Amino acid sequence: MRNNGFEMVSRYCICKENQDCMNHTLWNYNFSVQIWSWICSIFDFSNPTSFEDICKATQRNIPLVKEIWMTAACATMKELWFQRNKKLFEEVEPDLNSFKCRIWKLVHEGGCRMKGSRWGQSYDQQIIEFFKMGVRFSKYSCIKACYWSPPNQGYLLLCCDGTSFGNPGNAGFGIIVKDEHCSTIGTLSGGLGITTNYIVECFAVLCVVEWDILLNATRLIIRSDSKSVINEFSTGLVPWFIKTRWRNAIRQMKDIIFEHCYREINFSADSLAKRGA
């Protein structure tokens, strides 16, 4: 009858209340709801109703907690399906406590393969202690001093940066202008559609000069974290796709100084570039 296209109605072998299907086995019947409530109470998550909910639960969470959660969730889905087969073929009744012990053991044993770092918060420490995963080290960022010196009198300092989400991908640039009194004259950000990191870095430098024409500035100090772009512009090797606009832009300029800086110094221009992208 199945081969002829008939729908065969089957009752779920454990609860015997609904039709036997994957969604009911994993998410909806009473035993699975109790298991998910127990696991989600450990992580302070809401009960999932699909695998997409499992993946979305830790999008902005701690790297180590992501690994623990995905291991626990996948182990629960597998054991729920195995439990259905045991009931169907071996007449083994489900037991809540033994099921929890199996999940705990699988997550505990999988801890040796988890490489994620913790953030040193009480939240992740409670989860580590619950599954007894031993000592887990926190990954600290290296703290660096960030400073910059104002430009000489008569010059404007322009920090520019470009970025793309993907290479190529949605790209944008950001510019911050400061004078010799450390005052911010203005900021500028914009999008360039889909392009590469190199092209958007070149357009950022070009937009710096074209914008300064509107500001009536003739002496500039241009800083960027792209060493290759700074070397090309300072030696006159301007990329062909902006060469005409570059020549027209620098006609009114008396002096242009190019400087390479680290990303830590250029963080504000980087944030503007991401906003433009």
Side-chain angles (χ1 to χ4, degrees):
M1 292 183 67
R2 288 181 181 274
N3 293 335
N4 291 332
F6 288 93
E7 292 280 344
M8 302 298 293
V9 178
S10 58
R11 188 169 59 175
Y12 190 53
C13 60
I14 298 179
C15 66
K16 298 181 180 180
E17 296 177 354
N18 289 284
Q19 184 178 358
D20 187 5
C21 64
M22 178 71 74
N23 286 335
H24 185 70
T25 302
L26 297 180
W27 318 110
N28 298 327
Y29 89 101
N30 293 333
F31 187 87
S32 64
V33 171
Q34 292 178 359
I35 292 298
W36 286 118
S37 298
W38 168 69
I39 295 176
C40 292
S41 64
I42 301 171
F43 294 87
D44 195 20
F45 294 158
S46 57
N47 283 21
T49 58
S50 65
F51 189 71
E52 292 182 358
D53 292 344
I54 291 176
C55 297
K56 291 179 181 179
T58 57
Q59 285 183 347
R60 297 182 179 180
N61 217 309
I62 304 167
L64 180 60
V65 173
K66 287 183 180 180
E67 296 189 46
I68 300 174
W69 165 251
M70 291 303 297
T71 301
C74 292
T76 301
M77 295 171 62
K78 181 197 70 172
E79 291 297 327
L80 285 172
W81 184 255
F82 284 0
Q83 178 182 262
R84 178 255 186 196
N85 292 340
K86 288 182 180 180
K87 173 61 179 177
L88 184 63
F89 300 109
E90 303 176 13
E91 293 295 331
V92 177
E93 294 292 334
D95 182 75
L96 187 63
N97 290 329
S98 62
F99 192 97
K100 292 180 180 179
C101 291
R102 287 200 303 273
I103 299 301
W104 185 93
K105 184 178 180 180
L106 289 172
V107 178
H108 173 73
E109 293 175 349
C112 62
R113 296 186 294 272
M114 296 180 187
K115 305 298 183 182
S117 58
R118 50 170 296 188
W119 287 356
Q121 301 176 352
S122 58
Y123 170 72
D124 51 356
Q125 182 62 33
Q126 291 175 359
I127 297 175
I128 293 171
E129 291 178 353
F130 179 84
F131 291 104
K132 295 184 179 180
M133 293 187 168
V135 178
R136 297 284 173 166
F137 296 100
S138 301
K139 185 178 181 180
Y140 293 98
S141 301
C142 181
I143 300 176
K144 296 182 179 180
C146 299
Y147 62 91
W148 62 278
S149 56
N152 297 328
Q153 187 174 3
Y155 283 81
L156 289 181
L157 173 63
L158 297 103
C159 296
C160 62
D161 196 10
T163 187
S164 64
F165 293 98
N167 196 17
N170 289 330
F173 65 90
I175 304 169
I176 296 179
V177 185
K178 293 181 179 291
D179 59 13
E180 67 269 17
H181 304 294
C182 300
S183 300
T184 300
I185 296 179
T187 61
L188 176 66
S189 64
L192 292 177
I194 298 177
T195 185
T196 62
N197 287 325
Y198 171 76
I199 292 178
V200 73
E201 293 278 5
C202 293
F203 271 99
V205 177
L206 175 63
C207 291
V208 163
V209 181
E210 290 182 339
W211 187 27
D212 283 331
I213 295 176
L214 301 177
L215 298 176
N216 296 322
T218 58
R219 291 180 171 85
L220 311 177
I221 299 177
I222 301 176
R223 285 183 183 175
S224 174
D225 61 354
S226 177
K227 190 174 183 179
S228 60
V229 172
I230 289 298
N231 290 337
E232 290 180 356
F233 276 86
S234 59
T235 56
L237 299 176
V238 181
W240 62 271
F241 49 86
I242 61 172
K243 184 173 292 186
T244 302
R245 290 177 57 181
W246 176 257
R247 290 176 179 174
N248 295 332
I250 63 175
R251 287 176 181 175
Q252 301 180 23
M253 297 296 155
K254 296 181 179 179
D255 189 16
I256 300 178
I257 301 174
F258 294 95
E259 295 181 354
H260 174 254
C261 66
Y262 294 103
R263 184 168 295 272
E264 288 79 4
I265 301 176
N266 204 27
F267 66 95
S268 298
D270 181 51
S271 62
L272 286 173
K274 291 180 179 178
R275 186 177 67 181

